[in-house]
Each structure stands twice: as C-alpha cells, then as structure tokens.
Amino acid sequence: MGAGMSSDSGPEGVSGGGGGGGGPTGLGTLPEGCVAEIMLRLEPAEICRLARLCRTFCGAASADLVWETKLPRNYRYLLGKASGDDNSEGRRLTKKEIFALLCRRNAFGGANMEFCLEKKRGLICMWISSKALSITGIGDRRYWNFIPTAESSLSCRFETVAYLHQIWWLEVRGEVEFCFPEGTYSLYFRLHLGRATKRLGRRVCSPEHVHGWDIKPVRFMLSTSDGQLAQSKCYLDEPGSWIHYHVGDFVSRSSDTPIGVKFSMTQIDCTHTKGGLCVDSVLIWPQGFGGPPTASCPLL
C-alpha cells in the first residue's frame, strides 16, 4: 500500500500511475485553501519548510489568514514600536512580512532598548542596555564608566557595558512600560565579574578591582504597575563569565494594556567597598523559553 501511494503521488506536474482517468496528481493538485487550513495548525518554521515543496504550498504559506494566527493580538502596537510610527498599518505589509519584521531586532525608546517576537508562542523577548538604567555614581569616573566591549555580538547585546571600579553604595534601577502579549515573563540582570579583554586574539578576564561580592549578597527586586512583586538575592561569585541573575517573574494578563515594570539591583551595606563588575543589560524573557537566555536573539 505504501509503495502504491508513493508511485501515484508525485511532485507537482508528475502524472500518477493509477487508472480512472483522473489526470495528473500530486501536491500541486491540492486546493490552496485546504493547504492553508493545515498550515493554521503548524509552527512558523514548519510552514516555511513546506513552502518550498511546490507553488501551491508556497501560495498557501503566504496567506494572511495563516500568519495572522501566528501574530500576537496586539501586533499593530508592536509594529508601531518597531517602526516608531503609530500608523504603521498604513505601510500595507502582508501578515507574513509583519511577522518577519517583528522577529528581527527592533530598537525602541532610543537605541538602548530592543525587542523581538518569539516565534512559537508569539511572546516578547526584550533587552534593556545599561545605558538605559539609572546607576548611582555613574557620572563620576572614579566609580563607574561605560567601556566598549571586546566581546562578540553573541556575548553582548550592546556595544558598551557599565564597568564598576569601586564603590560603597551599589544601586542600579530601571523601568519599562510596554504592552506585553499575554503570558508569564522572567526578568534577568546580565552581569560579569572582571573586565574582559582580548590578548593575542584570545579572550582574557582581568580580575583587577574584583572584590567585596563575597561579604554580603546582592538584592534584586521587580514590581509591576498592577501590584506584582518579586525579590531575590545571591552572592556574585563566578568571575570570568557572563551570568544571568534571575530577579523574578511577572504575568501580563492583557496584551492591550500597558504594564509598567520596575526593577533594581542593590548592595548598600557601606561597611565595605565592592568593585570589578560589568553590567551589560536587563532581559525580559518568556518563562520557560529555552532556559537561561543568550545575549543574541534566538530567532534571527
């Protein structure tokens, strides 16, 4: 039975071997509407693979009705954020083009914040640069300064990081207001003990200024405009590697309502100094999406 099915069903334009005068059979003879109905139940990556089979599948894979089901309900808002224009729907993009655009790196709020669409569930991945954070003492170069990073784009999302030489009072705060598609999100601080440099083409970590992190833990906190609160604390004790420190989780219950998220990292025990810390960014990530995130968008 399997052999007979294989011989009768060929690629588009290949005649089947069965009798009955049915004419050529193959993938190309399927109604495009039926193929589109199948694609409604598939993930975006699977749709793109099927689009390469024949013209019928390619046409169905471009249909607006297919891609509208893959977009979050507030995709018009996200498109406006991505283009900086609230009237972006007037650009007459197809739903497939909108989906592809939202899955790229999209800067908003200046060049210090980015987001992209997570393909499978239609949730949001967001990066907030250290330059968009409020850092106590950042204006005094005795304590902090922004340094260009020698890391690759796979290690650091942005071109500069905030580097702490030494300080008594550590306080890093930030906030963002955004219409997140409905779901649960995790917030991380992305930190590195030691200053990473390149020597003879190889990455090396300078431990200069690294001190004080083993005496008292760093405290992390997040709160939302609808009353959600999360806290955590930990010692920073892994020099030489970029670590994602989990602050907590929050839930977006309506994709049409902006939710404000405030977050902080503090170590304000003034009995000792601390230093040698790099702050790259804050990440907001769909909960359970691939484990601890990397700095580069996994969708590109």
Side-chain angles (χ1 to χ4, degrees):
M1 182 175 178
M5 183 68 73
S6 299
S7 62
D8 287 344
S9 300
E12 180 181 9
V14 178
S15 177
T25 61
L27 294 176
T29 63
L30 291 172
E32 191 171 297
C34 291
V35 177
E37 284 293 329
I38 296 172
M39 291 182 172
L40 289 175
R41 295 157 176 81
L42 301 179
E43 294 181 356
E46 296 171 323
I47 295 172
C48 292
R49 285 194 292 268
L50 287 177
R52 296 195 291 265
L53 290 177
C54 62
R55 285 192 297 272
T56 301
F57 276 64
C58 182
S62 299
D64 276 357
L65 67 91
V66 170
W67 289 99
E68 190 157 16
T69 64
K70 312 306 174 186
L71 288 165
R73 190 171 61 183
N74 66 340
Y75 73 87
R76 291 181 178 85
Y77 166 85
L78 299 175
L79 185 58
K81 284 288 186 182
S83 65
D85 179 8
D86 292 336
N87 297 314
S88 297
E89 191 66 9
R91 296 168 59 188
R92 296 182 181 178
L93 299 176
T94 66
K95 297 299 189 294
K96 182 179 180 180
E97 291 171 334
I98 292 173
F99 185 88
L101 186 152
L102 293 179
C103 287
R104 303 171 191 161
R105 295 173 57 160
N106 294 289
F108 72 104
N112 297 321
M113 299 184 186
E114 294 181 351
F115 77 89
C116 70
L117 192 67
E118 178 267 311
K119 290 182 178 179
K120 289 188 177 181
R121 291 178 289 172
L123 301 181
I124 286 295
C125 303
M126 184 179 292
W127 295 260
I128 302 170
S129 166
S130 57
K131 284 194 171 183
L133 305 178
S134 175
I135 303 176
T136 299
I138 193 65
D140 193 328
R141 299 191 65 179
R142 293 174 299 173
Y143 307 128
W144 290 90
N145 65 307
F146 289 106
I147 61 173
T149 177
E151 307 279 353
S152 69
S153 60
L154 294 178
S155 297
C156 286
R157 188 71 175 180
F158 301 96
E159 296 180 354
T160 61
V161 298
Y163 181 70
L164 171 63
H165 297 285
Q166 178 173 282
I167 206 165
W168 292 89
W169 182 287
L170 174 72
E171 186 174 30
V172 180
R173 299 186 180 275
E175 61 181 293
V176 64
E177 185 175 79
F178 202 84
C179 288
F180 291 91
E182 296 173 10
T184 302
Y185 294 85
S186 299
L187 189 142
Y188 301 84
F189 270 86
R190 192 163 188 277
L191 310 175
H192 185 288
L193 283 181
R195 181 170 179 169
T197 59
K198 281 189 176 181
R199 186 175 302 162
L200 300 177
R202 298 182 62 184
R203 181 186 185 277
V204 296
C205 177
S206 170
E208 185 182 10
H209 302 135
V210 176
H211 66 282
W213 305 110
D214 57 344
I215 300 174
K216 292 289 181 67
V218 172
R219 296 181 179 274
F220 300 97
M221 180 181 293
L222 79 81
S223 62
T224 66
S225 55
D226 60 357
Q228 300 177 67
L229 179 68
Q231 301 180 67
S232 62
K233 61 181 180 179
C234 67
Y235 291 91
L236 309 187
D237 57 2
E238 297 186 50
S241 300
W242 285 105
I243 306 294
H244 296 92
Y245 292 91
H246 183 214
V247 178
D249 304 327
F250 67 93
V251 178
S252 173
R253 298 181 176 90
S254 172
S255 60
D256 299 321
T257 303
I259 183 171
V261 183
K262 295 183 178 181
F263 43 87
S264 66
M265 174 180 71
T266 59
Q267 213 290 32
I268 56 178
D269 186 329
C270 293
T271 61
H272 65 283
T273 62
K274 38 266 175 188
L277 176 70
C278 289
V279 181
D280 172 47
S281 57
V282 169
L283 293 83
I284 298 177
W285 215 252
Q287 187 183 61
F289 176 51
T294 58
S296 62
C297 183
L299 313 172
L300 303 181

